[in-house]
Amino acid sequence: MPLYPLFADLRDRHVLVVGGGDVAVRKTAMLLKAGARVTVGAPTLVPELREWLQLERIAWRAGTYQPEWIDGAWLVIAATRSRPLNARIAVDGHARQRLVNVVDDASLSSFQIPAVIDRSPLLVAISSGGVAPLLARRLRNRIESLLDPALGSLLQLAQRYRSRIRARYNDLVARQRFYDWLHDGPVHASLRAAHPVQAEQQLLAALARRKEAQISGTVVLVGAGPGDPGLLTLRALRALSEADVILHDALISAPILDLARRDAQRIAVGKRGGALHTPQATIHALLLEHARAGKRVVRLKGGDPFVFGRGGEELAFLREHGIAYEVVPGITAALACAAYSGIPLTHRDHAQSVRLVTAHCQQSFNTLDWSDLARERQTLAIYMGVSQLDELTLQLLAHGRAADTPFALIENGSLPQQRTLAGTLGGLPTLAARHAISAPALLILGEVAAQANAAHWYGELLGEPARRVAAPRALADAA
């Protein structure tokens, strides 16, 4: 172990930063956040440091470096642009038995400043020993995505009641079970939902009970987006990493499931026309069974749970049965398919509104106001309509939509096998059949769809004639 890890309490302790530039700003900001009394030594200061000086947040030693500046400092940071000067500061500091950090020079430093994840009072520090600080920062970003922002509030709450928790649970094993409940149960969930008063009340109620608090099951409805794992939200990633059970739709891609906790139970509950079909009642029963067993359940749905995803039905069922829940929105197919095809859903010259429409069966067609849908200067984003393209085209044309209205039909949006078929409404069914477009596919209809011919950037572009858009130069060079 080349470095000894420690967390220094610098509150109201003197720290010297030598250097008055942008690097000194970054180091000083972190020290001020830790409550240190910072003195900056430099001939001149950049504007941000001058502002802090005027606000009396820092002190300033004006002029060229002098060894006596180090006297009284607990830590010294050399942040000048001169390596000989930084080396001299390091020698002087080490001679006075001070810990010295020379920015970007591990060989001269006696301590390293790690990449930090701040969920105060929880701190996670990552160090490469000065060998590869940029890699340490990348690791910090990856780990930070897995740590719930509410953890800081949870630890602050636990800190306030630590003595009462210790008094209530003398046995170490029982105390550990209580802290597990605190993290996995309703208190943490209430903090995530921005209900701090409710969280505190739940903690107090648990401490007042004679029996140990039992971990209650929860359900998180998670939108998995259109298929590209890179489009998952950070909250979705955290939910997958914490899940005991995952009930997932048929369209959830394998790379997304690979991001889940390795030992999580995965249950396919897909609904696909002409194939495997899980009744909604069965899904409800599974949610109830696993939540009542104290499990953390993720209901993983393609796109967004509340856009043609029956998320509202499942939420109503959970409410009816007293199951705690959260909802993590996802990027719905209309947004993702449009973006990956270079199509703006709204445009001040062409479309002032967007309509999200489902067309997966004849019953849904019978409820649509076709005269309203056929209006110009709006964008239609039609979900699950591949099997109904003939009827859809017929109805729109019959109710006044022009045959030369542009469309883009996006198959497997955001996935490597994405294909975008561009054309005009009059030829939609014929073109779709010619290119064997199949579900899942989303139809974008309206003037904005013409943008696909010029702005398309991902996957294959089909049309009259079919062509593939060249990758941007930067991407092509990288490849």
Side-chain angles (χ1 to χ4, degrees):
M1 188 170 65
L3 296 176
Y4 181 77
L6 59 86
F7 288 89
D9 182 359
L10 295 178
R11 286 173 296 180
D12 205 33
R13 291 188 166 97
H14 178 214
V15 177
L16 173 67
V17 176
V18 183
D22 293 335
V23 176
V25 169
R26 294 198 302 271
K27 303 304 178 184
T28 300
M30 191 172 182
L31 291 166
L32 291 174
K33 193 174 182 181
R37 289 188 295 111
V38 181
T39 296
V40 176
T44 59
L45 302 178
V46 295
E48 193 163 359
L49 289 173
R50 287 202 303 269
E51 181 180 348
W52 289 345
L53 179 65
Q54 292 171 357
L55 295 172
E56 298 184 347
R57 297 187 66 194
I58 64 172
W60 181 28
R61 283 187 176 270
T64 58
Y65 165 74
Q66 301 297 322
E68 56 266 26
W69 289 3
I70 295 175
D71 295 340
W74 289 67
L75 296 177
V76 178
I77 296 179
T80 79
R81 295 178 179 177
S82 168
R83 192 176 193 279
L85 177 55
N86 286 342
R88 181 182 164 201
I89 296 168
V91 169
D92 292 343
H94 297 154
R96 289 167 170 76
Q97 298 181 344
R98 301 297 195 275
L99 289 172
V100 180
N101 174 261
V102 177
V103 176
D104 292 332
D105 198 331
S107 65
L108 296 176
S109 302
S110 54
F111 80 96
Q112 301 294 326
I113 300 175
V116 174
I117 301 168
D118 187 358
R119 298 285 190 274
S120 293
L122 174 69
L123 293 175
V124 179
I126 303 168
S127 174
S128 66
V131 175
L134 293 178
L135 178 58
R137 291 185 194 126
R138 289 196 62 176
L139 293 173
R140 176 197 62 191
N141 293 340
R142 181 166 297 184
I143 295 172
E144 187 164 31
S145 70
L146 300 176
L147 295 180
D148 196 316
L151 275 175
S153 299
L154 181 67
L155 265 68
Q156 291 170 20
L157 184 61
Q159 184 180 33
R160 291 207 305 272
Y161 289 96
R162 184 182 180 192
S163 59
R164 291 184 60 174
I165 294 171
R166 290 176 66 88
R168 170 68 177 80
Y169 298 101
N170 293 319
D171 179 68
L172 183 60
V173 174
R175 195 183 309 149
Q176 180 62 60
R177 284 200 296 266
F178 180 82
Y179 278 112
D180 288 341
W181 172 83
L182 201 61
H183 182 275
D184 298 330
V187 174
H188 194 181
S190 293
L191 291 172
R192 279 197 298 262
H195 299 308
V197 174
Q198 178 177 300
E200 188 166 7
Q201 291 171 344
Q202 290 165 330
L203 172 58
L204 290 171
L207 290 174
R209 283 194 293 264
R210 291 189 177 184
K211 293 184 178 181
E212 290 186 22
Q214 299 296 313
I215 295 178
S216 303
T218 59
V219 175
V220 186
L221 269 64
V222 176
D228 181 353
L231 297 181
L232 284 172
T233 64
L234 294 180
R235 180 69 190 101
L237 283 172
R238 283 194 291 269
L240 288 172
S241 71
E242 297 169 357
D244 299 311
V245 179
I246 300 171
L247 307 181
H248 63 89
D249 286 348
L251 292 178
I252 302 300
S253 64
I256 288 178
L257 288 174
D258 287 342
L259 296 172
R261 205 176 98 190
R262 295 300 180 195
D263 57 345
Q265 181 181 0
R266 295 164 172 80
I267 303 174
V269 290
K271 297 183 180 74
R272 300 196 70 169
L276 177 67
H277 183 89
T278 303
Q280 191 64 41
T282 301
I283 297 174
H284 287 170
L286 288 169
L287 290 172
L288 188 61
E289 173 191 345
H290 291 290
R292 283 183 170 171
K295 302 293 181 64
R296 290 168 293 189
V297 183
V298 164
R299 174 69 176 101
L300 191 60
K301 308 169 81 69
D304 180 89
F306 287 173
V307 179
F308 307 127
R310 300 195 182 183
E313 297 176 36
E314 293 174 4
L315 225 59
F317 175 83
L318 295 171
R319 263 198 323 274
E320 180 184 346
H321 291 83
I323 303 298
Y325 59 79
E326 298 176 46
V327 180
V328 180
I331 296 178
T332 189
L335 301 179
C337 291
Y340 274 53
S341 298
I343 301 170
L345 288 175
T346 63
H347 191 290
R348 61 181 177 176
D349 296 328
H350 304 300
Q352 284 70 53
S353 65
V354 181
R355 305 283 293 271
L356 306 184
V357 181
T358 180
H360 70 288
C361 62
Q362 187 62 45
Q363 290 88 333
S364 63
F365 266 70
N366 295 336
T367 63
L368 296 176
D369 184 344
W370 289 103
S371 297
D372 195 36
L373 293 178
R375 287 189 299 107
E376 295 183 348
R377 302 183 67 81
Q378 68 173 336
T379 303
L380 302 183
I382 301 175
Y383 291 66
M384 298 173 280
V386 172
S387 63
Q388 305 288 334
L389 291 180
D390 288 330
E391 179 69 14
L392 189 151
T393 301
L394 181 65
Q395 290 287 354
L396 287 172
L397 291 174
H399 286 83
R401 203 57 157 121
D404 61 355
T405 302
F407 79 81
L409 185 58
I410 300 105
E411 176 189 74
N412 293 311
S414 85
L415 296 175
Q417 62 270 34
Q418 174 179 315
R419 297 193 300 164
T420 299
L421 175 63
T424 55
L425 177 60
L428 171 57
T430 301
L431 280 173
R434 181 183 305 165
H435 293 282
I437 301 295
S438 61
L442 180 123
L443 175 64
I444 297 175
L445 184 75
E447 289 75 8
V448 295
Q451 300 285 330
N453 288 309
H456 175 273
W457 63 274
Y458 186 83
E460 188 176 8
L461 178 63
L462 309 170
E464 298 286 67
R467 65 184 180 88
R468 181 184 294 272
V469 174
R473 181 176 298 278
L475 296 180
D477 291 345

